[in-house]
Each structure stands twice: as C-alpha cells, then as structure tokens.
Amino acid sequence: MGGVSMAAFLGGSQVLGVVPKALATGDIIGKTIGEELQVPTMSDRLNTMFNHADAFIALPGGLGTLEEIFHISSWAQLHIHHKPIGLLNVNGFYDKLLSFLDQAVEQEFLTSSARRIIISAATAEQLIDQLQSFIPVIDPCMSRLDWSTKESRKKLRLDLSLHL
C-alpha cells in the first residue's frame, strides 16, 4: 500500500490513508503518505473507504485484500452501490481466483450478473479503461431491494397501556 500511495501522491493525486487506530501505533504500517484518517475498527475502515471511493481496485494481496474486495462486491451484488470493482491481475496473480468465480457460476452458486461485478486486467492502464467504461449489471431480483434508511430511523412507539 505504501508504494502505491507514494506513486499516486508523487503523480499529483489526492491520497487518503484510512487506518484503524490499532494499526496506527508502532511501526506496523509505516508512514502514511498524504492525508491520514484514523478510525476505530476495520469495519469503520471499510465504510470510510466506501464513502470516499468512486471505484475499487485490488492489487495482489492477502486475506485482508480478499476480505475487502469480496465485502464490497457483495454490496454491489445487493445493489447497495454501483461503483466499479477491479482486480489488477499482475502476472496472473488472480487467475485461480477468477477461475474459482467462473466455476461458482457454472455450479450455480453465483449468478453470471454477480460474476460480472468484478473486472480484471493485467495492466493498470487496461483496468482503468475498463473501470471508466463500466456499466453496472442490473439483476432484476436484487434491483427490488430497498436499502434506504429513512424508515429504520423512525422511532417505534410502543403502546404499553393496560386495557381492562
């Protein structure tokens, strides 16, 4: 992450590092380039990144990278957002993961529209082009979901009066 943020910063891009407070102490993550926003938890990190991002790109990484990309992809599948999601498939790093997703479609554990949520390309230039031309796939079943929170914020009134 440090190398990517440094290259983006030196290239004139705005860089926002969203760091859980537990990782900000000591020398775990190194020096943040650009602006740093500390959050309480990993869940807060994902929510904050979601709220600040126009798109999501995963470079080769480990469990945290996979968790975040699948989390944000499941939100896209549920139509919580329509932001493009891409894997930078450097040297075929994600080939087996992409094959697994294709197999999940073949075995009907994943719809083909859900599979098309994740874009992949071998180079950054190709991936950016694909992300910029991304058109969300609308799943008719999922498009009926209503994620608005206005109703959930209304206070419920309980009638606790006793009627004899």
Side-chain angles (χ1 to χ4, degrees), residues 1-8 56-69 85-94 97 119-124 127-128 131:
M1 288 185 285
V4 172
S5 63
M6 177 62 83
F56 303 93
I57 298 175
L59 280 64
L63 292 175
T65 300
L66 293 172
E67 187 275 332
E68 289 175 348
I69 208 69
I85 302 165
L87 300 177
L88 186 56
N89 194 16
V90 177
N91 296 325
F93 182 84
Y94 286 114
L97 178 64
I119 300 165
S120 67
T123 69
L127 188 56
I128 296 296
L131 292 173

Side-chain angles (χ1 to χ4, degrees), residues 8 17 19 82 85 94 100 107-108 125 135-136 138-139 143 149 151-152 155-156 161 164:
V19 181
H82 298 290
I85 302 165
Y94 286 114
F100 165 76
Q107 295 183 4
E108 300 180 357
E125 294 80 14
I135 298 172
I138 304 301
D139 181 325
S143 66
T149 58
E151 293 299 318
S152 64
K155 290 186 178 181
L156 297 176
S161 58
L164 300 174

Side-chain angles (χ1 to χ4, degrees), residues 66-80:
L66 293 172
E67 187 275 332
E68 289 175 348
I69 208 69
F70 279 119
H71 196 131
I72 213 71
S73 296
S74 69
W75 285 359
Q77 180 184 14
L78 293 169
H79 289 253
I80 294 172

Side-chain angles (χ1 to χ4, degrees), residues 2-3 11 20 23 39 43 45 55 62 65 76 82 87 102 130:
L23 295 178
V39 295
S43 294
R45 170 177 152 55
T65 300
H82 298 290
L87 300 177
D102 293 337
Q130 290 181 44

Side-chain angles (χ1 to χ4, degrees), residues 30-150:
K31 184 179 182 315
T32 300
I33 305 301
E35 183 183 351
E36 179 177 305
L37 179 60
Q38 290 187 14
V39 295
T41 67
M42 291 297 286
S43 294
D44 291 322
R45 170 177 152 55
L46 187 62
N47 287 327
T48 301
M49 290 189 308
F50 171 79
N51 289 327
H52 283 84
D54 296 318
F56 303 93
I57 298 175
L59 280 64
L63 292 175
T65 300
L66 293 172
E67 187 275 332
E68 289 175 348
I69 208 69
F70 279 119
H71 196 131
I72 213 71
S73 296
S74 69
W75 285 359
Q77 180 184 14
L78 293 169
H79 289 253
I80 294 172
H81 74 86
H82 298 290
K83 300 175 183 184
I85 302 165
L87 300 177
L88 186 56
N89 194 16
V90 177
N91 296 325
F93 182 84
Y94 286 114
D95 285 350
K96 291 183 180 180
L97 178 64
L98 296 167
S99 293
F100 165 76
L101 294 174
D102 293 337
Q103 179 182 356
V105 171
E106 291 168 16
Q107 295 183 4
E108 300 180 357
F109 285 97
L110 186 65
T111 64
S112 59
S113 60
R115 169 61 184 92
R116 291 193 302 268
I117 289 170
I118 299 177
I119 300 165
S120 67
T123 69
E125 294 80 14
Q126 292 169 335
L127 188 56
I128 296 296
D129 287 345
Q130 290 181 44
L131 292 173
Q132 288 176 332
S133 63
F134 174 75
I135 298 172
V137 178
I138 304 301
D139 181 325
C141 180
M142 296 295 181
S143 66
R144 293 181 289 217
L145 297 174
D146 181 6
W147 292 101
S148 62
T149 58
K150 291 178 185 176

